[in-house]
Amino acid sequence: MDDQLAFRADDQPNSASPAVWRVLAVDDDVDFQRATAFALGELDVLGGRIELLQAFSCREAALLLARERDIALVLLDVVLETEDAGLRLIKALREVIGNSETRVVLLTGEPGRAPAYEVMRDYDINDYWSKSELSAERLLTVLTAAVRGYAQLKAVASARRGLQMIVESSNALFCSKNTRELSSKILSEIAVLLNLQAEGIVCVRAEGAEEGEEGVAPRARIISASGRFVRNVDASLDSLDSPEVAAVLRRSLQEQQTLCLSDCTVLFFPRFQAGADYACYVATERALNDTEQELLKVFSASISRGLYNVALFSRLEEMAYQDDLLKIPNRNALIRMLDMILKDESKAERVLVLIDIDNFSGANTAFGTGYGDFILGLVAKKLRDAFDGNVLIARVRDDLFAILGPQTQVSAAAIVALFRRHTRSYELGQVHSLSSVTMHLGDFTGSAGVALQDALLTLKQAKRAGHDQHTVYDPRLLGAHAEAYRMLLALRDAVEAGHISVQLQPQIDLQTRRVTGVEALARWRKADGSMVPPLSFIPLAEATGYILPLGDLLMRLALQAAKELADAGYGDIRVAVNVSAPQLLQHDFIERFVAHLRAAGVRPQQVEVEITESVAMRTFDTVCEKLRALREMGVNVAIDDFGTGFSSLSYLRLLPADRLKIDRSFVLEIGQVSDDKMIAEAVIQIAARVGMQVIAEGVETRQQADWILEHGCREAQGYLFAKAMSCSDLLGWLDSWPGARA
Ligand code: C2E
Ligand code: CA
Ligand code: CA
């Protein structure tokens, strides 16, 4: 730190002038020491005050000199303890301590006893005086000459050390793989070289920033910073929180030159050296002296070679990190940047937005890849124009783009707005919407790869709902999705392993106690014996399309049971099979169904198809067509969960169905709410009006059974009679059921 004090900008701004020059007087003559102290007390030499150190013996002096390196001058009495003690002290100073900068002036009590010339030369002794000749005036002259010599030698020495450092740091600079890494090294090396606190900024003028545009300040991005500037890394120069610093950096970039100012230095490197205009600001808090400026010049040459290497390397790198078609960063570049951000504290303020052009692949197929490339180019350009160098725009794949940057700039809403304006001006007039997912990186704890994957998954989920979907990544939601995904995989395994079966639940004619039918219900028994309820895996299978193979299996199992029943003499017991919407809506559903019937050897009349009311009403015409075809074959049709869809009577009348199944929720109300509030009665009356039979689900009590019979519903299914059971259990149960056989 002394060295830092040692330089200051004053009337001789370019010479190394400390505030204090230290002078050591070595003499055993107390009177002389006192006189010297008096004479030096008031002196001002080259703008510095004199600080006097005194030693009364050679030994004392040697200890002092070994300890203090910054002594400008030694005033030495030649004859001390012994004849040659003084000279031995100088020899030690030069050869043992290795101090060649401290100046030495020899003094003697007796005039005419000058030391030999060789001694003066070999020990680099500046001057020789007899004490009597040394007037106060002369002392000033002697001191001034000695101090100037010392200052020069110091400068040379520090330059030598600096050069040594530059040579050493060059190695570090040459090994840098990228501009960021190199920049942070440059900042720290300059700090070491100039013995400063590392406080600086490196910024690069963003690629594509046009030069020479009137009134447009070049857009530059801060790629490295140290000390108090650290939090500005990755920000644009315009948003730098120190306006004066931003101003000098901008000036250097604009004037394309290095600036040496009273409290800072900005090194400038042009594009041809650095790949992009490159400016490095170093806070010096003072003007640099000549030596330091010279050193910086040499250091700059070394930096520019490092930058050139890195620029060359970056061009090679571009190939791996750039999208070929759009010439913007690709997925690798995104991952690299994400990786860096996720490791940094600044991630809290960053967001990743992924956008996906709706219907892109369709348009690509319809209009050709030329059209697709055109759209992608427009999107890339629009995004790049909309954001500054702080925001990374990358093409992840196909029509999927990533926008990564500070949340103050990047938002789905802003991007969508951009795109909406944009699509209207297409020459082709083709309008695309887009879907997006926003991920706040502050919430994210995983790696870059996982972040991208999770964001993609969220986007995919959102896009299921259609076009123009904008969603925000939520780890909890994705957790549920991941859970569902695991279950789907397990379900596939269960199907393979034969862990899926159907159980049969009897349906009873309340008047005759006869068993009229059974409903086949899916069962998943896991390897550990536990059961997975159908309400947790059937909707999942429906949502993912897996219901088609699963439904086929369930149909086969149900028809096998029907065959077993028929073979056991219960051929008049209907077997009801639940059919989901995706199954029914398959274009070849009827053919498949017939194939199943044939394969099982079951009469169509023994089978009932259950579809829910909501499915029936949703795609009414198509469903009616299928149901009609089924009924023409002799297959029974039941409308499940009836009453929950509140279908209008006019539609119900047209529905080709044999039976309405009153939903369990209405049966549950029986005996619990007052008669006039019960929906069950209305539901039964509706069934009668549209001329269908009716069956109540979920009958658990005698009271419920009595009530529904009383109100015109003859059939029931529920725990009051039996739960669903395996086919062999059912055969045993039937044998003991009093009204089983007609
Ligand atoms: P769902 O078609 O309405 O089936 C009736 C559900 O009510 C069955 O539940 C049955 O066990 C239950 N249940 C019957 N009697 C009573 C009772 O007295 N009290 C109570 N509390 N519950 C009763 P499960 O087997 O859990 O099936 C639930 C749903 O899963 C079914 O509702 C159906 O929507 C679906 N499902 C089951 N098997 C299949 C299948 O093979 N294919 C299709 N597509 N869906 C199925
Ligand atoms: Ca059912
Ligand atoms: Ca039901």
Side-chain angles (χ1 to χ4, degrees):
M1 288 306 100
D2 276 353
D3 272 12
Q4 218 173 333
L5 289 174
F7 301 99
R8 97 185 119 93
D10 56 11
D11 47 332
Q12 290 169 297
N14 290 325
S15 68
S17 307
V20 173
W21 301 109
R22 305 178 90 194
V23 173
L24 171 63
V26 189
D27 202 320
D28 53 2
D29 177 348
V30 181
D31 287 339
F32 176 78
Q33 286 280 25
R34 197 175 300 135
T36 310
F38 180 75
L40 298 186
E42 303 297 313
L43 281 189
D44 182 89
V45 179
L46 294 178
R49 180 171 66 74
I50 299 290
E51 181 191 324
L52 181 68
L53 309 172
Q54 295 181 310
F56 294 85
S57 69
C58 274
R59 209 182 142 267
E60 208 184 326
L63 287 173
L64 248 168
L65 285 168
R67 206 171 56 223
E68 317 278 342
R69 282 204 75 99
D70 58 348
I71 293 175
L73 170 65
V74 180
L75 288 171
L76 173 68
D77 186 357
V78 203
V79 189
L80 282 157
E81 294 98 319
T82 59
E83 190 74 6
D84 61 347
L87 287 180
R88 277 195 289 133
L89 176 68
I90 303 308
K91 191 171 153 68
L93 175 72
R94 299 293 186 229
E95 292 174 1
V96 180
I97 299 172
N99 179 337
S100 54
E101 295 126 38
T102 298
R103 301 295 78 211
V104 177
V105 171
L106 292 182
L107 299 173
T108 171
E110 304 147 59
R113 281 204 53 181
Y117 166 73
E118 289 76 19
V119 174
M120 298 288 280
R121 183 196 62 200
D122 292 350
Y123 298 133
D124 190 17
I125 296 166
N126 292 61
D127 227 341
Y128 169 85
W129 289 95
S130 89
K131 290 180 191 168
S132 56
E133 291 168 313
L134 207 57
S135 64
E137 195 184 336
R138 183 157 286 156
L139 183 62
L140 177 61
T141 319
V142 168
L143 278 177
T144 306
V147 161
R148 181 170 290 128
Y150 170 76
Q152 281 166 354
L153 281 171
K154 260 298 234 222
V156 171
S158 84
R160 197 182 305 126
R161 265 204 311 282
L163 287 172
Q164 180 61 35
M165 277 191 233
I166 290 171
V167 170
E168 282 164 12
S169 68
S170 308
N171 295 332
L173 300 186
F174 287 141
C175 292
S176 300
K177 289 222 174 47
N178 59 60
T179 316
R180 276 174 190 274
E181 188 189 309
L182 176 68
S183 302
S184 95
K185 279 185 190 159
I186 287 173
L187 287 176
S188 60
E189 294 294 339
I190 292 182
V192 172
L193 185 67
L194 302 181
N195 197 9
L196 302 168
Q197 303 233 334
E199 293 219 301
I201 290 176
V202 171
C203 66
V204 172
R205 197 205 306 245
E207 262 175 79
E210 299 307 318
E211 273 170 80
E213 272 179 67
E214 282 305 318
V216 178
R219 283 190 304 192
R221 191 161 46 96
I222 295 168
I223 58 165
S224 186
S226 58
R228 70 194 140 107
F229 302 113
V230 143
R231 60 177 176 278
N232 294 290
V233 175
D234 276 346
S236 78
L237 182 55
D238 298 332
S239 59
L240 179 62
D241 49 14
S242 318
E244 332 75 56
V245 176
V248 290
L249 271 164
R250 222 173 276 131
R251 194 181 128 201
S252 169
L253 284 168
Q254 239 147 18
E255 295 174 4
Q256 306 252 301
Q257 64 174 353
T258 291
L259 307 172
C260 276
L261 305 172
S262 61
D263 62 347
C264 68
T265 292
V266 186
L267 301 177
F268 174 79
F269 300 90
R271 242 159 235 242
F272 71 88
Q273 281 176 350
D277 285 346
Y278 182 101
C280 173
Y281 169 95
V282 182
T284 58
E285 310 296 339
R286 59 182 168 83
L288 298 183
N289 62 54
D290 285 346
T291 315
E292 290 172 315
Q293 292 196 13
E294 282 307 311
L295 280 179
L296 268 187
K297 265 189 209 154
V298 179
F299 187 62
S300 295
S302 159
I303 293 176
S304 77
R305 291 212 335 263
L307 281 170
Y308 182 75
N309 279 358
V310 164
L312 202 68
F313 188 81
S314 315
R315 271 195 283 280
L316 296 176
E317 220 188 21
E318 266 173 20
M319 297 176 190
Y321 290 96
Q322 202 180 58
D323 182 75
D324 276 349
L325 174 69
L326 304 179
K327 302 285 176 246
I328 61 172
N330 61 11
R331 183 179 183 282
N332 293 344
L334 173 68
I335 291 282
R336 185 172 57 171
M337 178 67 91
L338 258 179
D339 206 38
M340 224 155 55
I341 289 174
L342 287 172
K343 283 185 190 130
D344 198 87
E345 283 164 24
S346 70
K347 73 173 183 175
E349 292 115 46
R350 315 257 149 179
V351 286
L352 169 68
V353 176
L354 297 183
I355 61 167
D356 184 291
I357 307 170
D358 295 328
N359 236 348
F360 180 77
S361 55
N364 219 2
T365 323
F367 304 116
T369 49
Y371 171 81
D373 292 354
F374 167 74
I375 296 294
L376 293 176
L378 279 181
V379 172
K381 182 171 176 350
K382 197 79 196 167
L383 288 172
R384 240 190 7 223
D385 288 351
F387 295 102
D388 66 18
N390 289 325
V391 177
L392 178 81
I393 311 289
R395 182 186 184 201
V396 181
R397 58 158 201 241
D398 309 327
D399 58 327
L400 187 75
F401 290 84
I403 300 97
L404 173 60
Q407 60 192 13
T408 46
Q409 291 183 53
V410 177
S411 76
I415 294 165
V416 170
L418 199 73
F419 218 77
R420 288 229 169 95
R421 278 204 300 280
H422 169 79
T423 46
R424 250 177 244 148
S425 63
Y426 275 7
E427 287 115 291
L428 291 177
Q430 186 66 32
V431 176
H432 287 280
S433 60
L434 61 89
S435 294
S436 74
V437 56
T438 302
M439 182 183 233
H440 296 274
L441 295 176
D443 306 339
F444 197 80
T445 48
S447 69
V450 174
L452 183 57
Q453 195 188 339
D454 281 6
L456 269 171
L457 254 167
T458 308
L459 181 60
K460 218 170 132 188
Q461 299 282 357
K463 285 201 72 159
R464 286 234 173 86
H467 288 167
D468 212 357
Q469 299 296 317
H470 302 280
T471 176
V472 176
Y473 163 79
D474 180 341
R476 287 163 302 175
L477 289 186
L478 209 64
H481 291 145
E483 180 56 40
Y485 184 66
R486 270 194 292 278
M487 184 174 236
L488 185 65
L489 293 183
L491 177 59
R492 283 168 191 240
D493 290 346
V495 167
E496 298 274 295
H499 291 163
I500 304 292
S501 60
V502 294
Q503 290 195 344
L504 308 160
Q505 185 180 31
Q507 299 173 333
I508 312 292
D509 180 322
L510 294 173
Q511 266 178 350
T512 63
R513 308 283 297 161
R514 220 187 105 233
V515 178
T516 55
V518 289
E519 180 180 4
L521 294 162
R523 293 293 176 262
W524 173 1
R525 184 185 292 276
K526 292 218 241 178
D528 64 4
S530 63
M531 302 297 291
V532 183
L535 281 178
S536 67
F537 68 89
I538 296 283
L540 175 69
E542 286 175 344
T544 56
Y546 191 64
I547 192 67
L548 297 182
L550 179 65
D552 257 5
L553 170 68
L554 292 169
M555 179 84 74
R556 208 177 66 231
L557 294 172
L559 293 182
Q560 253 169 33
K563 174 77 170 126
E564 277 181 55
L565 283 175
D567 288 350
Y570 295 109
D572 55 342
I573 294 184
R574 293 184 313 261
V575 175
V577 185
N578 291 283
V579 172
S580 297
Q583 282 178 280
L584 186 72
L585 296 176
Q586 288 176 105
H587 68 277
D588 58 350
F589 173 74
I590 300 295
E591 289 88 328
R592 283 169 172 274
F593 189 81
V594 170
H596 276 301
L597 282 178
R598 292 225 176 97
V602 171
R603 289 182 305 120
Q605 291 74 13
Q606 202 197 332
V607 181
E608 184 162 84
V609 164
E610 281 189 18
I611 62 157
T612 61
E613 182 186 3
S614 54
V615 168
M617 292 302 152
R618 202 167 47 196
T619 40
F620 193 76
D621 291 338
T622 325
V623 169
C624 284
E625 196 184 303
K626 307 266 183 187
L627 297 185
R628 218 170 282 123
L630 285 172
R631 290 187 77 204
E632 276 164 15
M633 277 192 277
V635 175
N636 296 278
V637 171
I639 304 303
D640 206 355
D641 301 343
F642 186 74
T644 56
F646 298 104
S647 315
S648 83
L649 261 182
S650 49
Y651 274 97
L652 270 180
R653 245 189 264 280
L654 297 174
L655 200 63
D658 302 275
R659 201 177 320 279
L660 296 180
K661 292 189 82 173
I662 302 174
D663 191 67
R664 194 160 67 85
S665 55
F666 304 122
V667 175
L668 213 59
E669 287 179 348
I670 297 168
Q672 293 189 352
V673 296
S674 63
D675 257 27
D676 59 326
K677 293 227 175 72
M678 272 198 298
I679 300 171
E681 190 174 358
V683 173
I684 294 169
Q685 281 167 9
I686 289 168
R689 278 227 230 134
V690 296
M692 292 185 203
Q693 294 171 31
V694 57
I695 178 170
E697 291 188 290
V699 175
E700 294 185 6
T701 65
R702 189 78 265 155
Q703 189 198 2
Q704 290 165 345
D706 292 344
W707 189 93
I708 58 169
L709 180 61
E710 210 175 289
H711 287 79
C713 172
R714 268 188 69 168
E715 277 184 88
Q717 171 186 347
Y719 295 169
L720 175 63
F721 312 104
K723 288 193 171 183
M725 56 195 118
S726 71
C727 192
S728 57
D729 286 353
L730 177 70
L731 289 173
W733 182 86
L734 282 173
D735 286 339
S736 61
W737 183 257
R741 280 170 213 274

